[in-house]
């Protein structure tokens, strides 16, 4: 390949490690103090069947408050008298009735939801769901027959999940493994807006630091974007409620935190830049299969997936809807934190981006699975900083924050030998909605990948100029044997000149000159 020869430091995509080829066999599935497994692990090791792990629900600040917990109450009024009832009884009654119908209208769905969310009776609108169903041509309109099936799935919650789901809170290292069926049941509950204490927008509300999970925001404010989102989500529910296509694996959600004192001292990191494959063609989720795939996240995981947002993270969550369940238990990410999701399934195909995004139909996910029945798909959610003005980012405090964030996301478990660690599939992290400088962010990610000794597949998303510039810059840095520490200092110098307004040059142009001057000395 001529292009590769010209820039010797660049590698082919095939030279980067991926799962399952580099997969290290896992120990038998067990739960620990920090890993909650929701299927019976003994039964799993004996028969490989997935049955719910016994336990009980807990109603306190450390666990998800479940709609089927006995502590969940609501007030009902009959002939002027108010009294408390178990909220799950109400949910069970209304969704139970709905589940018995062959088809249900949007009005039926709305009526049921408002019965056990009486506070929101005149606040929640279902216009998007309504318009969506009305506008869908009859021959494609399976939606009204899927609404009862989602209700049937939702009311299975008490049998499906028998123990308390811990919240993945700030500063914790904790993980949760659920079966895909359990996730579907939780998402069916989210669809029917059953989760208690999750609807308040008040900044002092109990879950103010958590993403929203009930789907009411998806059902309001009709737009073309909503149409495509609903097509993807309802297709997911159709698949998981059909006995022929029901998924049967597990998915793990893991929150990781690295304390400040365990972060690298970037100034003195000696590693050189890692192997890089950079291309303007393809995208993370297709060409990066089997690698660690970066979700360009919001610190509120999933960002605007249940609202109007429709960029990289939201699209990822729409085509892999199991990712949405992370919103149920993942507290807003702090600067030194990230979330790994292993084993989610891709259900849909898509085309376009943002306003041009379109659901393109079913995707058959043939990704193989590991010993825990998790698909060989690992996604890491890392949130970049949002810059109102581009100039804010040329500052070593912000650069160090981004380096630490990327390091947290890229660092593999210490127990895995280097040959078994897949490369990282990433791209313009933080450079769309969050306004970052693609050149700076590419270097930051390469520096973090260097520190953890992982190769990088970098997808510039049609940006051929960035592809060429990054290839050239990588080549220069590798040829000059520039260490991460040197690069960190160089970035410090660039920030200084930017602050003093003494250059208008882009980072790479400025660096090239600087490096050439140095190499001539
Ligand atoms: N593969 C490779 N590159 C991509 C892909 C893809 N599939 N999709 C987009 N890009 P953005 P951010 C490129 O704006 O700036 C969400 O609401 C493309 O060049 O999604 O980190 C989150 O919830 C695009 O411009 O990420 C956050 O709130 C660039 O990646 C917020 O956006 C950045 O994508 C994060 O914004």
């Amino acid at each position: 390949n001529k292009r590769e020869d010209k820039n010797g430091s660049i590698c082919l995509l095939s030279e980067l490690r991926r799962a399952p080829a580099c997969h290290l066999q896992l120990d038998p599935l067990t739960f620990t103090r920090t890993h909650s497994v929701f299927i019976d692990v003994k039964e799993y090791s004996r028969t490989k069947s997935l049955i719910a792990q016994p336990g009980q629900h807990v109603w306190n600040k450390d666990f998800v408050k479940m709609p089927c917990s006995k502590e969940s109450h609501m007030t009902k009024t009959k002939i002027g008298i108010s009294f408390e009832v178990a909220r799950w009884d109400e949910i069970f009654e209304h969704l139970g009735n709905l589940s018995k119908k062959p088809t249900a209208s949007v009005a039926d769905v709305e009526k049921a939801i408002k019965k056990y969310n009486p506070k929101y009776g005149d606040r929640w609108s279902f216009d998007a769901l309504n318009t969506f169903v009305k506008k869908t041509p009859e021959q494609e309109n399976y939606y009204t027959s899927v609404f009862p099936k989602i209700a049937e799935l939702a009311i299975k919650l008490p049998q499906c999940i028998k123990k308390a789901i811990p919240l993945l809170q700030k500063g914790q290292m904790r993980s949760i493994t659920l079966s895909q069926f359990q996730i579907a049941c939780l998402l069916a509950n989210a669809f029917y807006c059953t989760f208690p204490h999750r609807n308040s927008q008040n900044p002092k509300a109990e879950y103010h630091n958590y993403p929203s999970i009930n789907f009411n925001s998806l059902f309001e404010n009709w737009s073309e974007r909503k149409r495509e989102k609903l097509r993807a989500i309802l297709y997911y529910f159709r698949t998981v409620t059909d006995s022929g296509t029901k998924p049967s694996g597990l998915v793990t959600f893991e929150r990781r935190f690295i304390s400040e004192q365990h972060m690298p001292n970037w100034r003195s990191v000696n590693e050189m830049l890692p192997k890089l494959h950079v291309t303007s063609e393809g995208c993370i989720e297709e060409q990066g299969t089997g690698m660690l795939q970066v979700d360009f996240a919001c610190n509120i995981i999933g960002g605007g997936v249940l609202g109007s947002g429709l960029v990289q993270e939201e699209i990822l969550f729409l085509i892999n809807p199991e990712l949405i369940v992370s919103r149920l238990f993942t507290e807003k990410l702090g600067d030194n934190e990230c979330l790994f999701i292993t084993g989610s399934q891709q259900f849909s195909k898509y085309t376009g981006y943002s306003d041009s995004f379109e659901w393109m139909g079913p995707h058959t996910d043939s990704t193989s699975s590991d010993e825990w029945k998790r698909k060989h798909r690992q996604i890491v959610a890392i949130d970049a900083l949002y810059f109102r003005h581009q100039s804010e980012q040329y500052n070593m405090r912000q650069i160090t924050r981004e380096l630490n964030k990327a390091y947290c996301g890229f660092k593999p478990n210490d127990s895995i030998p280097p040959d078994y660690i897949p490369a990282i599939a990433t791209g313009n992290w933080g450079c769309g909605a969050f306004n970052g400088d693609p050149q700076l962010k590419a270097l930051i990610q390469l520096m973090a990948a260097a520190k953890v000794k992982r190769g990088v597949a970098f997808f510039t998303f049609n940006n051929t100029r960035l592809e060429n510039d990054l290839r050239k810059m990588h080549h220069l840095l590798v040829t000059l044997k520039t260490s991460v520490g040197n690069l960190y200092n160089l970035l410090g110098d660039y920030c200084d000149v930017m602050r003093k307004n003494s250059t208008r040059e882009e980072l790479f142009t400025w660096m090239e000159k600087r490096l050439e001057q140095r190499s001539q000395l």
Side-chain angles (χ1 to χ4, degrees):
N1 185 328
K2 246 192 6 269
R3 218 165 57 176
E4 313 299 332
D5 287 342
K6 220 168 56 200
N7 294 290
S9 68
I10 297 292
C11 73
L12 297 170
L13 197 56
S14 57
E15 288 173 59
L16 294 172
R17 267 194 295 271
R18 314 171 181 250
C22 72
H23 175 67
L24 179 68
Q25 194 175 345
L26 300 170
D27 289 335
L29 178 63
T30 52
F31 54 87
T32 64
R33 207 170 46 80
T34 54
H35 180 196
S36 307
V37 180
F38 287 83
I39 58 139
D40 188 323
V41 292
K42 278 204 195 115
E43 194 57 38
Y44 181 72
S45 75
R46 261 203 313 268
T47 63
K48 289 280 172 286
S49 58
L50 309 181
I51 59 167
Q53 171 82 23
Q56 48 183 309
H57 291 293
V58 178
W59 188 265
N60 70 28
K61 65 171 185 28
D62 297 325
F63 294 90
V64 173
K65 289 191 169 151
M66 296 289 266
C68 54
S69 284
K70 60 181 188 312
E71 290 85 353
S72 183
H73 292 287
M74 62 179 280
T75 310
K76 266 182 91 169
T77 309
K78 258 192 193 151
I79 42 173
I81 304 167
S82 299
F83 53 99
E84 290 276 291
V85 289
R87 191 160 170 273
W88 185 250
D89 289 349
E90 286 293 299
I91 294 171
F92 194 83
E93 181 193 329
H94 295 290
L95 297 189
N97 290 340
L98 220 144
S99 72
K100 288 182 202 117
K101 296 179 158 207
T103 62
S105 64
V106 174
D108 294 332
V109 172
E110 175 174 355
K111 205 167 130 204
I113 291 177
K114 288 185 172 173
K115 284 282 183 196
Y116 46 82
N117 288 297
K119 237 172 128 180
Y120 299 91
D122 46 8
R123 277 194 252 171
W124 285 354
S125 159
F126 287 70
D127 68 296
L129 190 60
N130 218 346
T131 310
F132 171 69
V133 173
K134 258 201 226 136
K135 287 196 169 198
T136 305
E138 209 172 318
Q139 64 278 20
E140 287 170 37
N141 203 335
Y142 62 81
Y143 306 118
T144 52
S145 63
V146 106
F147 294 150
K149 292 186 183 161
I150 306 175
E152 190 185 352
L153 179 58
I155 57 177
K156 288 190 180 142
L157 186 62
Q159 299 86 53
C160 185
I161 295 186
K162 296 190 176 158
K163 61 176 200 174
I165 304 177
L167 293 167
L168 302 181
Q169 293 164 329
K170 204 162 234 175
Q172 286 183 346
M173 301 272 264
R174 194 177 261 287
S175 42
I176 292 176
T177 295
L178 290 157
S179 72
Q180 289 181 286
F181 178 66
Q182 289 171 324
I183 294 173
C185 179
L186 290 166
L187 290 176
N189 276 276
F191 180 91
Y192 276 107
C193 307
T194 69
F195 288 104
H197 297 202
R198 298 300 288 259
N199 299 326
S200 171
Q201 310 274 342
N202 187 328
K204 287 195 184 131
E206 184 181 350
Y207 285 94
H208 71 275
N209 232 8
Y210 284 79
S212 63
I213 181 66
N214 290 327
F215 280 16
N216 52 291
S217 51
L218 191 64
F219 302 149
E220 66 184 13
N221 292 336
W222 165 252
S223 63
E224 312 248 302
R225 288 183 174 204
K226 282 281 170 74
R227 180 188 61 214
E228 298 308 312
K229 287 185 174 201
L230 287 166
R231 287 174 92 189
I233 296 286
L234 288 165
Y235 175 70
Y236 163 75
F237 280 120
R238 175 184 168 159
T239 313
V240 296
T241 54
D242 180 331
S243 54
T245 48
K246 228 162 65 183
S248 58
L250 301 181
V251 182
T252 301
F253 300 83
E254 180 187 2
R255 186 184 188 111
R256 263 194 235 166
F257 163 79
I258 299 182
S259 64
E260 211 59 47
Q261 72 262 33
H262 290 104
M263 285 296 178
N265 175 7
W266 293 102
R267 206 173 287 283
S268 49
V269 171
N270 289 323
E271 275 83 3
M272 305 291 160
L273 290 195
K275 268 194 189 172
L276 170 70
H277 176 82
V278 53
T279 171
S280 53
E281 286 157 21
C283 61
I284 297 171
E285 64 277 12
E286 253 182 75
Q287 281 69 25
T289 49
M291 298 183 184
L292 174 65
Q293 301 186 356
V294 178
D295 163 12
F296 303 157
C298 176
N299 53 11
I300 297 282
I301 191 86
V305 64
L306 299 180
S308 58
L310 197 44
V311 285
Q312 195 251 11
E313 174 166 56
E314 289 90 356
I315 293 173
L316 189 64
F317 278 50
L318 289 168
I319 61 170
N320 303 267
E322 289 160 343
L323 301 176
I324 298 174
V325 84
S326 58
R327 294 173 66 87
L328 179 62
F329 43 71
T330 311
E331 190 172 5
K332 184 174 169 182
L333 297 174
D335 284 341
N336 298 350
E337 297 183 295
C338 63
L339 183 77
F340 289 90
I341 302 139
T342 309
S344 64
Q345 180 172 333
Q346 183 181 339
F347 287 81
S348 294
K349 288 191 180 38
Y350 78 97
T351 173
Y353 190 72
S354 190
D355 279 334
S356 66
F357 172 85
E358 267 182 69
W359 179 79
M360 283 298 278
H363 172 81
T364 309
D365 191 340
S366 49
T367 311
S368 60
S369 299
D370 65 16
E371 296 81 0
W372 299 0
K373 284 201 185 176
R374 301 179 308 180
K375 293 207 169 282
H376 283 291
R377 175 175 291 111
Q378 190 173 43
I379 292 170
V380 64
I382 48 174
D383 55 300
L385 288 170
Y386 166 69
F387 300 111
R388 193 183 296 267
H389 303 289
Q390 283 238 331
S391 58
E392 291 165 28
Q393 66 196 298
Y394 306 109
N395 163 325
M396 287 319 275
R397 239 187 77 203
Q398 323 275 46
I399 290 178
T400 310
R401 186 276 184 195
E402 301 295 66
L403 278 165
N404 288 345
K405 174 66 76 165
Y407 174 74
C408 181
F410 297 172
K411 189 177 179 297
N413 271 347
D414 293 334
S415 58
I416 308 176
D419 287 350
Y420 294 89
I421 298 169
I424 296 157
T426 190
N428 301 331
W429 174 52
C431 300
F434 280 2
N435 226 359
D437 167 355
Q439 297 186 347
L440 176 58
K441 276 292 197 293
L443 277 192
I444 288 176
Q445 294 183 83
L446 283 173
M447 289 160 76
K451 175 66 189 154
V452 300
K453 302 187 171 58
R454 292 176 93 151
V456 172
F458 196 100
F459 298 93
T460 68
F461 212 61
N462 300 324
N463 186 340
T464 44
R465 185 170 159 234
L466 179 64
E467 175 190 355
N468 291 328
D469 291 349
L470 183 57
R471 181 178 288 130
K472 254 170 61 194
M473 181 48 64
H474 182 265
H475 185 64
L476 185 65
L477 292 168
V478 170
T479 317
L480 296 176
K481 299 199 165 52
T482 314
S483 69
V484 170
N486 293 150
L487 209 51
Y488 186 81
N489 291 327
L490 207 60
L491 289 177
D493 294 348
Y494 184 69
C495 291
D496 282 345
V497 294
M498 286 296 275
R499 197 177 44 245
K500 291 180 196 140
N501 242 335
S502 48
T503 183
R504 286 184 171 269
E505 282 170 344
E506 291 189 314
L507 175 64
F508 284 3
T509 319
W510 180 89
M511 273 177 62
E512 240 171 79
K513 287 190 187 154
R514 221 10 220 282
L515 289 164
E516 270 160 20
Q517 275 168 12
R518 270 197 202 171
S519 63
Q520 281 159 11
L521 289 179

